[in-house]
Amino acid sequence: MNTFAQAAKPLVNDLFSSLLFAGLLIAGVDPLTATIIAMATGVGHVVLMLGLRRQVAPLQWASLGLVLVFGGASLVVHDPRFLMAKPTVIYLVLAAFMLRKGWMIRYMPPIARGRAPGVVIAYGYVWAGLMALSAGMNLVFAIALPEHWPLYKAIFPITSKLALFGVQYVHMRAASIREIRAEQATLASAA
């Protein structure tokens, strides 16, 4: 379980303000309060990282930018349809970012880096696809089924990402173990 937490830590760190916002909405916090808390936390998190002289990853900057831009727009507009539709744009921006080849390598635990690079790259594209699917579904619920949007928002975005993360973790762990065993067998036969 330690390696699972180790694998999840950088991703959670980079998406912290976005995850906090989603968690607050799921917990029943009103959108205005959730927006203000997520914006303040996102800024504070980046300021802390910079103060500790740690690198702020591109995905973390994107997450903060999205929370600030769309959070600020939500505070100005006060329109529930905007609030419901804005995750569509956020998901599409993240999907576009995730189309960058190899973006996911940064999130691999040290033992998995350099192992099965094609699989890691493929999962980066799978993540982009999941974000695009989330965008499409969010728009459908926001426009055609607004009365069911809170239930959709509380269930699909989080569970789909956790499920994909779990599948990827198990697959990458198995692939890494196979490669390590193959390397050990090669070394043993050469000795």
Side-chain angles (χ1 to χ4, degrees), residues 31 74 77-87 142-143 146 149:
S74 292
V77 173
H78 290 293
D79 184 345
R81 291 171 300 173
F82 178 78
L83 177 69
M84 288 189 283
K86 79 176 183 176
I143 293 172
W149 183 84

Side-chain angles (χ1 to χ4, degrees), residues 21 31-32 35 39 67-80 82-84 86:
F21 177 74
L32 176 65
T35 299
M39 289 172 68
V67 166
L68 291 178
V69 169
F70 288 103
S74 292
L75 296 176
V76 171
V77 173
H78 290 293
D79 184 345
F82 178 78
L83 177 69
M84 288 189 283
K86 79 176 183 176

Side-chain angles (χ1 to χ4, degrees), residues 76-170:
V76 171
V77 173
H78 290 293
D79 184 345
R81 291 171 300 173
F82 178 78
L83 177 69
M84 288 189 283
K86 79 176 183 176
T88 299
V89 176
I90 293 169
Y91 292 140
L92 289 174
V93 168
L94 290 174
F97 173 82
M98 291 175 174
L99 286 173
R100 196 175 95 223
K101 183 179 179 180
W103 73 268
M104 186 166 278
I105 293 169
R106 173 190 188 288
Y107 300 100
M108 293 293 102
I111 195 162
R113 285 191 192 125
R115 301 189 190 286
V119 176
V120 174
I121 290 169
Y123 270 112
Y125 295 133
V126 170
W127 275 98
L130 178 58
M131 296 308 281
L133 173 66
S134 298
M137 288 181 64
N138 186 79
L139 193 59
V140 167
F141 276 92
I143 293 172
L145 303 163
E147 66 279 3
H148 299 294
W149 183 84
L151 183 61
Y152 154 78
K153 192 68 179 151
I155 296 172
F156 181 78
I158 298 294
T159 56
S160 65
K161 276 80 176 165
L162 288 174
L164 179 55
F165 183 84
V167 167
Q168 179 183 351
Y169 175 80
V170 169

Side-chain angles (χ1 to χ4, degrees), residues 5-19:
Q6 186 180 20
K9 186 178 175 182
L11 190 59
V12 170
N13 182 59
D14 288 355
L15 295 174
F16 185 71
S17 58
S18 297
L19 293 171

Side-chain angles (χ1 to χ4, degrees), residues 41-60:
T41 302
V43 169
H45 192 214
V46 168
V47 167
L48 176 65
M49 296 293 288
L50 293 172
L52 294 173
R53 298 186 189 275
R54 292 191 184 155
Q55 181 183 6
V56 179
L59 189 56
Q60 190 171 1

